[in-house]
Amino acid sequence: MSTLETSKDAAKIKRTRTSALDRILQVLDFLQTNDAPATAYEIARAVGAPLSTIYTLVEDLVEKDMLDRFDDGRLWFGHRLFHYGLTYARHVDLLTTANHEMSDLALASGETVQICGRDGDFMVVLGMVDGPDHFQVASQVGSRTPLNWSASGRLLVGHLPEAERRAIFSHASCPSPTGRAETDIEILTASSRQALDAGLSIQAGESAYSIACIAAPILDGAGTCRATISIVVPDQKVDQTDPDLKELVRSSAINIARRLGWSR
């Protein structure tokens, strides 16, 4: 066999492997976005893949404990993925450091505290500590919402160049269930930077009725917003000053950055 033929065969194998990996990621991404178990048929229809292809992948993933199959045929994440996630979380300095600060902030404020990060066009809840008053918060660890729905979402892209922020909001923004989330691209582009410069972002009733969020950016040494820390409260508490929730959140964000050696 010639060198050229060998090279072509290798490239073909690589393309096949990449395609299979892409399909697996599509399955996992759909389950995460859907946030509920689904059948192989529902997954195939959602990702636009041949049903036979998805069935083959699913069988392999179930066999390897990457997916679990319920009695009714629906599929969900398997325990092997859970163990991967635990191992990853143990080695993420940000989350390890933030866990201590979240607990302190929840105690000081009496409210639920979250650490959020960015996942493409979405904000994702990375960590959470419930407040003493047990105020019910709809979002849980792993929840994802469009960037324009939340205070944290705007902060997470605030450090980016203006053109990049505008491009992100142009394809990532959509109306929220309450109809109150900002969707104007120019306003979002400007306000995301303004919030980052102020070190604070607030939204009330945009993603869920009667619920507000007070968020502060966790900045690295280059000024990049690596994550946010926020307090989730009933919207009538946004301007509370005893204790001062806004200052508590700002201080917590600064403390996390300092502990990680990111303070500028």
Side-chain angles (χ1 to χ4, degrees):
M1 182 180 292
S2 68
T3 302
L4 180 59
E5 290 174 332
T6 302
S7 177
K8 288 181 178 178
D9 288 343
K12 183 178 180 181
I13 292 173
K14 183 177 180 180
R15 284 197 300 273
T16 302
R17 288 175 178 169
T18 301
S19 179
L21 178 59
D22 285 342
R23 288 300 190 194
I24 290 172
L25 292 176
Q26 286 178 342
V27 171
L28 299 179
D29 286 347
F30 170 74
L31 289 175
Q32 181 187 36
T33 303
N34 192 50
D35 199 26
T39 64
Y41 174 77
E42 291 170 335
I43 294 172
R45 185 175 60 181
V47 304
L51 185 58
S52 58
T53 299
I54 296 301
Y55 270 127
T56 301
L57 286 177
V58 162
E59 289 302 318
D60 202 22
L61 292 172
V62 169
E63 182 181 341
K64 292 178 173 57
D65 296 322
M66 299 282 282
L67 292 179
D68 281 339
R69 181 188 285 113
F70 298 129
D71 291 339
D72 60 4
R74 292 179 303 148
L75 301 155
W76 189 237
F77 296 117
H79 69 267
R80 193 167 189 170
L81 290 176
F82 176 70
H83 294 310
Y84 288 155
L86 288 178
T87 302
Y88 173 78
R90 284 199 303 270
H91 291 81
V92 177
D93 290 339
L94 171 61
L95 289 180
T96 301
T97 302
N99 278 334
H100 299 294
E101 194 63 39
M102 277 195 293
S103 297
D104 291 344
L105 180 56
L107 186 61
S109 66
E111 307 295 344
T112 295
V113 177
Q114 295 180 336
I115 294 291
C116 298
R118 181 185 169 201
D119 181 12
D121 290 343
F122 296 88
M123 179 214 76
V124 59
V125 179
L126 302 175
M128 180 170 163
V129 173
D130 290 325
D133 67 354
H134 302 296
F135 173 64
Q136 296 297 310
V137 178
S139 59
Q140 300 295 324
V141 173
S143 297
R144 299 160 79 241
T145 56
L147 293 171
N148 68 304
W149 287 14
S150 67
S152 290
R154 293 163 204 174
L155 288 172
L156 289 164
V157 297
H159 61 277
L160 297 173
E162 181 178 341
E164 191 170 347
R165 297 199 310 275
R166 182 177 290 106
I168 290 171
F169 284 125
S170 293
H171 60 73
S173 300
C174 60
S176 65
T178 66
R180 295 177 61 181
E182 184 61 67
T183 55
D184 185 285
I185 306 305
E186 295 305 316
I187 292 176
L188 288 167
T189 300
S191 64
S192 60
R193 182 67 205 191
Q194 292 165 359
L196 188 80
D197 290 341
L200 193 72
S201 182
I202 299 172
Q203 68 87 6
E206 294 185 39
S207 60
Y209 292 106
S210 303
I211 296 178
C213 180
I214 305 170
I218 301 171
L219 306 176
D220 65 16
T224 298
C225 184
R226 300 283 292 274
T228 67
I229 185 166
S230 60
I231 295 178
V232 184
V233 297
D235 55 9
Q236 70 268 22
K237 286 189 175 183
V238 166
D239 295 317
Q240 176 181 305
T241 57
D242 185 22
D244 191 326
L245 300 180
K246 297 172 186 176
E247 287 308 311
L248 285 176
V249 174
R250 277 198 186 102
S251 295
S252 291
I254 292 171
N255 288 341
I256 293 172
R258 183 181 296 120
R259 290 178 179 179
L260 288 167
W262 291 350
S263 297
R264 291 180 293 167

